[in-house]
Amino acid sequence: MKDTMKRLLAPALLTALAVSGLSAPASWARIELRSESTAPSRSGAHGDDVRARIAAIPGMRVLGERPAAPGQIVLDLAYRQPIDHRHPREDSFDQRLTLVHRSTWRPMVLYSGGYDLGPSPERRAEPTVLLDANQITTEHRFFGTSRPQQLDWSKLTVRQAADDHHRIVTALKKVYRAPWISTGGSKGGMTAVYHRRFHPDDVAGTVAYSAPNNTDDGDDTAYDAQLDQVGTPQCRAALKSVQRTALIRRAAMTELYDRWAQGEGKTFRTIGSADRAFELAVLRLPAMFWMHQPAGSCASVPTAMTDDQALYAWIDRVTALPVYTDQSLDRLTPDFHQLGTELGYPQYTTPHLAGLLHHPGVQDVRSYVPREIPLRFRPGAMADIDRWVRHRGSSLMFINGETDVAVAEPFRLGRGTRDSLLLDVPGGNHHTSIAALKPQDAARARAALLRWAGRTTAGVRAQ
């Protein structure tokens, strides 16, 4: 279970940048793949057969093989995708995938992280473990190395990504004919739902963890209301107080920030300065705290008596200050482009910080995106997804944490939604799981998952 949750949710833990529940990738380090000609294979004749069948799929390449647990074969793949699915004969790019193979007769789990592959794409998601299934992990278009040489940002849309996944499912169903389940956490959960909106029959069911549903980017009152209700009054007051303390000591804090950045060779050209970046981090602080800090963390909130070094270290731990540098934002530009064009990006009201803010408008998503990249918001995209879920969605499972500010605007089921579940983890934050649900809810979730996958409880691991 521990490895499963790391795979699902470590991205948010490591960056704490989930401004609307969207977790940044666990690592941006490039994975060094052994070439097909030199990678040792320990999978024997069965592995050779799987490799051959996968390699025979038009547009698919086997890049290498990873060490695997007994009974598994792990292959790194590249699949040729059109840049624009409306014009598939024009330019294309290679989308990176990682396959964890158990058996062609077992179910297949389509896992979407929503970002790059990360350092361990072979880690199995919770539904994969529960079903003892195969898994295909996808790198989102335009993230990591899954990008064309020339980026046309207008082709980074939820529909184009959904079409990517549709082609992957269609191609791999030639080998894996058992039922498919899709899943993902945070932005990956959103990606899985968007895929279902446009290709509802590709998979038999979807498990979306901590998936935000920002249907009106101009109305962020739900986020403010959540911040006014979550936790205890004492903890909420402590967080507001530490925000004020941080800005009152702005000079000392930004000096520490600048000194760190210079020592690490980091810069702030996109956001503008260490001062702007620090103010932005402080504005996001309460949301990041409730989304990512474990239970009992209220006791660790600094007071006005905390010295500068300890205050800075705590803010860094909660808000992940390195994320606001150019070197991190460069890898996250596709994420913020999506936030600024379709997904939406909440901004929080902070009347308790009156007189302490120096940079009006710094919360706008444009702060994170280089000015030469256009941002033109399409307000109907998320409303369309929401309508589909409520009126036509089926076999959907949404699992949210009770204290998760990211899902202040959650997906909701409607009269037209069929065979679906909306479940909350009591006291849970952005890092949720079926295993963390109340026992009766966990049983319902597992039963639905097994039903969708056409499996019985025999031979399936329970957590």
Side-chain angles (χ1 to χ4, degrees):
M1 179 59 200
K2 186 176 180 181
D3 283 347
T4 299
M5 289 312 300
K6 282 182 180 179
R7 178 66 187 93
L8 278 169
L9 302 165
L13 280 167
L14 289 176
T15 67
L17 189 63
V19 234
S20 69
L22 309 183
S23 312
S27 168
W28 302 298
R30 295 293 175 259
I31 300 167
E32 295 183 4
L33 296 173
R34 293 168 294 181
S35 69
E36 186 176 358
S37 60
T38 60
S41 175
R42 302 174 183 173
S43 48
H46 176 57
D48 293 341
D49 177 64
V50 169
R51 289 171 63 98
R53 294 181 69 182
I54 297 297
I57 296 172
M60 190 77 72
R61 290 187 297 125
V62 177
L63 301 178
E65 184 170 349
R66 294 170 181 259
Q72 296 180 11
I73 299 167
V74 179
L75 301 177
D76 285 296
L77 310 173
Y79 186 54
R80 201 70 182 166
Q81 295 278 18
I83 295 176
D84 185 354
H85 287 274
R86 297 169 300 177
H87 305 285
R89 295 185 178 181
E90 296 182 0
D91 292 341
S92 59
F93 70 100
D94 280 339
Q95 184 173 15
R96 288 275 304 283
L97 318 168
T98 294
L99 170 68
V100 178
H101 169 87
R102 294 278 286 140
S103 170
T104 56
W105 57 265
R106 294 178 184 270
M108 172 64 80
V109 171
L110 174 65
Y111 175 81
S112 304
Y115 298 89
D116 66 17
L117 281 178
S120 303
E122 74 279 8
R123 282 182 176 165
R124 299 191 300 162
E126 187 178 41
T128 310
V129 175
L130 287 170
L131 296 171
D132 199 15
N134 305 291
Q135 179 173 302
I136 190 77
T137 300
T138 66
E139 185 165 75
H140 201 287
R141 66 164 38 214
F142 289 22
F143 286 81
T145 60
S146 297
R147 54 171 61 195
Q149 289 185 344
Q150 297 296 324
L151 288 176
D152 179 352
W153 292 101
S154 69
K155 303 304 185 292
L156 179 57
T157 66
V158 296
R159 179 60 191 267
Q160 294 282 359
D163 290 348
D164 288 342
H165 284 97
H166 175 63
R167 291 189 74 248
I168 291 167
V169 172
T170 301
L172 287 173
K173 276 188 175 180
K174 298 171 184 176
V175 178
Y176 298 95
R177 300 179 182 275
W180 283 56
I181 300 293
S182 61
T183 192
S186 192
K187 183 173 181 288
M190 298 160 70
T191 301
V193 176
Y194 304 158
H195 172 210
R196 290 294 301 284
R197 156 63 182 95
F198 297 107
H199 302 284
D201 299 324
D202 274 1
V203 299
T206 297
V207 183
Y209 300 84
S210 307
N213 182 35
N214 191 349
T215 55
D216 184 355
D217 191 48
D219 182 2
D220 295 327
T221 54
Y223 298 93
D224 292 328
Q226 176 78 343
L227 286 172
D228 285 340
Q229 298 168 7
V230 66
T232 65
Q234 293 79 8
C235 193
R236 295 195 297 270
L239 290 171
K240 289 181 178 180
S241 177
V242 79
Q243 283 181 288
R244 289 187 57 83
T245 299
L247 293 175
I248 289 169
R249 299 194 207 170
R250 178 193 293 266
M253 296 296 101
T254 54
E255 180 183 354
L256 289 169
Y257 199 9
D258 250 331
R259 188 187 309 161
W260 167 84
Q262 292 175 19
E264 296 292 325
K266 309 295 185 182
T267 55
F268 298 97
R269 288 186 297 271
T270 298
I271 286 184
S273 66
D275 190 72
R276 282 178 60 89
F278 183 75
E279 180 168 301
L280 179 54
V282 171
L283 288 165
R284 316 299 320 177
L285 190 152
M288 299 302 97
F289 178 89
W290 292 115
M291 288 166 61
H292 303 299
Q293 295 303 301
S297 294
C298 288
S300 71
V301 178
T303 69
M305 302 301 293
T306 304
D307 65 59
D308 289 344
Q309 288 284 355
L311 175 63
Y312 176 85
W314 184 87
I315 293 170
D316 183 22
R317 184 170 69 254
V318 172
T319 66
L321 290 174
V323 163
Y324 300 91
T325 66
D326 297 321
Q327 289 67 33
S328 293
L329 292 179
D330 179 61
R331 298 170 176 88
L332 286 170
T333 297
D335 176 31
F336 286 107
H337 184 274
Q338 288 192 279
L339 290 167
T341 55
E342 290 185 321
L343 307 187
Y345 182 88
Q347 301 183 39
Y348 305 108
T349 57
T350 53
H352 59 288
L353 301 180
L356 296 174
L357 299 175
H358 295 176
H359 306 291
V362 73
Q363 289 190 78
D364 192 278
V365 70
R366 170 49 82 180
S367 294
Y368 302 96
V369 181
R371 299 304 184 269
E372 64 269 19
I373 297 176
L375 285 182
R376 184 176 182 179
F377 193 72
R378 295 184 283 276
M382 295 301 99
D384 171 73
I385 305 292
D386 178 70
R387 283 192 299 271
W388 177 82
V389 168
R390 290 183 293 109
H391 297 300
R392 299 180 63 187
S394 65
S395 55
L396 300 166
M397 188 187 307
F398 298 100
I399 301 177
N400 298 323
E402 182 183 22
T403 70
D404 187 5
V405 177
V407 290
E409 290 187 74
F411 281 99
R412 299 187 184 277
L413 309 182
R415 291 185 177 181
T417 317
R418 302 178 304 281
D419 190 18
S420 297
L421 299 170
L422 177 59
L423 304 169
D424 289 325
V425 174
N429 58 13
H430 197 58
H431 312 289
T432 57
S433 68
I434 291 173
L437 292 166
K438 292 183 290 187
Q440 60 269 35
D441 286 341
R444 291 174 60 206
R446 286 193 293 266
L449 182 61
L450 293 170
R451 183 174 67 253
W452 296 338
R455 308 216 60 184
T456 64
T457 55
V460 177
R461 282 183 59 182
Q463 295 187 346

